Amino acid sequence: MRFRNRMSAGRRLGIELAKHGWTSPVVLALPRGGVPVAAGVAEELNAPLDVVVAGKIGAPAQPELAVGAVTADGAVFYDDKTLAALGLTREDVVRRSEAAVAEARRKQQRYQVRALDVTGRDVLIVDDGLATGLTALAAVNAVLARRPLSVSVAVPVGSYAAIRRVEEVADAVYCLRRPPHFRAVGQWYQDFTQVTDDEVEQLLQVHSR
């Protein structure tokens, strides 16, 4: 039931997405983990590949638990329900928000993001999975400002709650697997080795147009 690795999952996702009609599609990956998946999608759709940089704001005591997300342009999105459940306020995570923006900007500069013109084109934002959906939500909002024809999110696996959250903003969410007992994205991959900056750069170079 698990995907072999991100590239394999991306090819399978791309095969499904190729069944739909797209207008001059552009594939935008969420780095770092979404880039190998997006590379497989871009191959199947014969589409250009770039990245849209967004990052999560981790809870102080549980950095893997997202309480918000940011984009490289400094936009910040908070999950007030999760903050309240943890007994936190937005002010409690300001420093983490600032650090997340700084890291997003570092990635944007490192990957030399081309900011492809997406005006009037169908955009597919791709990640390796949706746990909370917050990072994807931030990415969708960033891309909407660039006047695309549509913005969809595509992932190999995701939680029902995250998918519903993203569907409120994106035109569509495509997800191969929606397991009822979802704990973490990594549990659905045999190989979930962390993707490095160098690997991201190599994949972007290979798929640049």
Side-chain angles (χ1 to χ4, degrees):
M1 293 294 292
R2 295 191 297 166
F3 299 102
R4 188 168 73 251
N5 53 40
R6 291 180 178 88
M7 288 291 290
S8 174
R11 285 190 290 271
R12 292 173 65 175
L13 182 59
I15 289 170
E16 290 301 313
L17 292 170
K19 297 175 182 178
H20 301 268
W22 303 103
T23 299
S24 301
V26 175
V27 178
L28 299 181
L30 277 163
R32 294 186 291 256
V35 177
V37 181
V41 172
E43 285 181 8
E44 293 296 333
L45 298 184
N46 192 28
L49 172 65
D50 201 1
V51 297
V52 53
V53 183
K56 72 179 177 183
I57 305 166
Q62 304 175 63
E64 292 304 312
L65 175 61
V67 295
V70 303
T71 57
D73 63 4
V76 181
F77 303 86
Y78 291 104
D79 182 348
D80 290 314
K81 287 185 179 179
T82 300
L83 283 171
L86 296 173
L88 298 170
T89 67
R90 294 186 178 190
E91 289 70 25
D92 292 327
V93 293
V94 165
R95 288 188 179 180
R96 288 183 170 271
S97 303
E98 293 171 346
V101 171
E103 173 62 9
R105 288 174 175 166
R106 182 198 69 79
K107 288 179 179 178
Q108 181 141 315
Q109 184 175 12
R110 171 74 187 260
Y111 306 148
Q112 298 180 352
V113 178
R114 294 178 290 158
L116 296 173
D117 183 8
V118 300
T119 305
R121 306 175 74 173
D122 287 323
V123 175
L124 290 163
I125 295 175
V126 178
D127 203 356
D128 52 16
L130 289 176
T132 65
L134 288 169
T135 305
L137 198 63
V140 169
N141 278 284
V143 174
L144 284 172
R146 294 160 60 182
R147 296 182 298 172
L149 179 62
S150 72
V151 180
S152 298
V153 172
V155 293
V157 63
S159 72
Y160 282 97
I163 291 168
R164 286 197 300 269
R165 169 179 272 161
V166 177
E167 283 177 335
E168 293 178 0
V169 179
D171 289 284
V173 176
Y174 298 91
C175 182
L176 296 181
R177 292 179 184 166
R178 307 181 183 201
H181 305 293
F182 185 99
R183 294 191 304 275
V185 173
Q187 76 182 105
W188 302 102
Y189 288 84
Q190 294 176 21
D191 178 3
F192 199 63
T193 306
Q194 185 174 17
V195 179
T196 66
D197 284 333
D198 287 342
E199 289 172 324
V200 169
E201 289 178 322
Q202 290 169 6
L203 286 168
L204 292 176
Q205 209 168 35
V206 168
H207 295 277
S208 64
R209 298 190 177 191

